[in-house]
Amino acid sequence: MKSGLIVYLVGGAELPEDFDLADCCKEIGFPADRVELVGSQQGFFNVEDAWHHLFTKGYGEVKLLVAQTDRECLRPIHPVVRLSG
């Protein structure tokens, strides 16, 4: 089963264009086949849209990570939540 991760970015921060979100998630212990971003200025507008996108692309296991960024990498705010799978 393919795994997906939704990163909900809080605090209104934006990620630099060259930021590798999937690689950063692997580094902090949250590997996934595909990573989608939900943020105020980037990515999807809400978690439901990102979840639906992953589900329709065949990702059966989807998790949600709420995090902040310091432009270097992500800092999880809460434990990761399994949405499906």
Side-chain angles (χ1 to χ4, degrees), residues 10-83:
V10 298
E14 292 186 34
L15 298 177
E17 285 186 32
D18 61 343
F19 191 86
D20 188 344
L21 185 59
D23 192 43
C24 181
C25 288
K26 281 182 191 174
E27 286 179 21
I28 62 172
F30 302 107
D33 294 320
R34 184 166 182 155
V35 179
E36 297 294 346
L37 178 67
V38 174
S40 61
Q41 304 290 327
Q42 298 171 305
F44 287 92
F45 183 68
N46 60 41
V47 172
E48 291 85 4
D49 288 344
W51 188 3
H52 181 263
H53 176 75
L54 288 170
F55 181 75
T56 58
K57 296 290 184 185
Y59 293 85
E61 180 183 318
V62 178
K63 295 180 180 178
L64 172 66
L65 173 66
V66 179
Q68 290 180 325
T69 182
D70 59 6
R71 302 265 180 197
E72 302 278 323
C73 203
L74 299 173
R75 289 187 318 250
I77 296 176
H78 299 284
V80 75
V81 175
R82 184 176 62 194
L83 300 177

